[in-house]
Amino acid sequence: MSKALTTLITIAALLTACAQPEVLVPRANTVPAGVDLTGKWQIRADMADDQRKLRDAIRKTSGARSSSGSRNSKPRKVKGGVVHVFLETGELLKITQTAHGLFISFDRSIVEEYRFGERRVISIGEVQAQRVTGWEGQQLIVETLDKHGVKLTDRFELTNNGQSLRREITLRSKKHEEQTVIQEFDSVE
């Protein structure tokens, strides 16, 4: 085999190895001492403005594109990141924390469960994604990754001596471009 062919095969093997899909790594499953996110939390910002910021972040990071460019052609099939379907928001959050997980009720209608230290596949209809949940320092981190490499990262932490809750929502494109929206909540109990 020629040296050029050997070099070409080596480069192809390296590129294939680099193209492996990202795998999310679970975080700590032990709640840090003194951290309890339990409570009712009211958002400070105007929800309509907040939703606009989130839609803009989704648009910039989803990579959604149409597979058909003609107006007169068949319905367009959208390709790109879909992780945003797993993003829940609300003006009022009710959080219940246990030793093993967290339950968040968004506006009393949708309840999400996050188990500390867990790595699992979640789905909504036919859309599937990897999810890991756990602690990093004083923050609860929930990462969700779709098959296109688009990632949603939620970070929850107490601020203002436990009277406020900060939620940092980061959407990352498959090209690793990030858009972050910060939500601040005040305790209503």
Side-chain angles (χ1 to χ4, degrees):
M1 191 165 22
S2 74
K3 186 175 181 177
L5 183 57
T6 303
T7 302
L8 185 59
I9 291 171
T10 302
I11 291 171
L14 288 172
L15 289 175
T16 301
C18 292
Q20 295 299 318
E22 181 178 357
V23 175
L24 298 178
V25 178
R27 298 179 186 277
N29 64 353
T30 305
V31 179
V35 176
D36 188 352
L37 304 178
T38 298
K40 289 183 182 174
W41 305 95
Q42 177 71 47
I43 197 164
R44 282 186 204 157
D46 172 48
M47 196 61 181
D49 184 50
D50 210 51
Q51 292 297 322
R52 182 192 54 73
K53 289 176 185 175
L54 287 168
R55 280 192 306 274
D56 191 44
I58 290 166
R59 183 183 52 76
K60 289 179 179 177
T61 58
S62 71
R65 63 188 188 286
S66 171
S67 62
S68 174
S70 169
R71 279 191 142 155
N72 300 325
S73 62
K74 293 180 183 177
R76 297 175 179 208
K77 182 177 179 184
V78 176
K79 298 179 180 178
V82 292
V83 76
H84 62 274
V85 301
F86 298 100
L87 175 63
E88 298 294 347
T89 60
E91 292 182 51
L92 181 65
L93 306 183
K94 181 180 178 189
I95 300 177
T96 304
Q97 180 176 312
T98 69
H100 306 289
L102 194 79
F103 299 87
I104 302 178
S105 169
F106 295 88
D107 289 334
R108 299 182 184 158
S109 61
I110 298 171
V111 177
E112 287 287 333
E113 176 186 9
Y114 305 106
R115 295 182 187 169
F116 308 144
E118 181 178 60
R119 179 174 174 248
R120 66 181 173 144
V121 174
I122 58 172
S123 62
I124 294 178
E126 294 182 16
V127 178
Q128 292 188 334
Q130 296 178 54
R131 173 168 286 163
V132 297
T133 302
W135 296 93
E136 185 175 285
Q138 304 288 305
Q139 291 184 339
L140 175 66
I141 300 175
V142 181
E143 292 179 302
T144 307
L145 179 69
D146 71 18
K147 70 178 183 177
H148 300 285
V150 179
K151 183 162 59 171
L152 165 64
T153 303
D154 264 319
R155 295 176 180 270
F156 296 90
E157 71 178 317
L158 295 173
T159 60
N160 193 25
N161 293 320
Q163 296 303 304
S164 301
L165 176 73
R166 182 176 192 267
R167 181 183 187 195
E168 180 180 300
I169 304 166
T170 301
L171 289 145
R172 187 203 72 194
S173 73
K174 63 183 173 182
K175 294 180 181 179
H176 295 265
E177 301 158 328
E178 293 186 349
Q179 295 289 313
T180 299
V181 176
I182 305 293
Q183 295 181 324
E184 298 283 347
F185 296 84
D186 293 314
S187 177
V188 291
E189 290 187 320

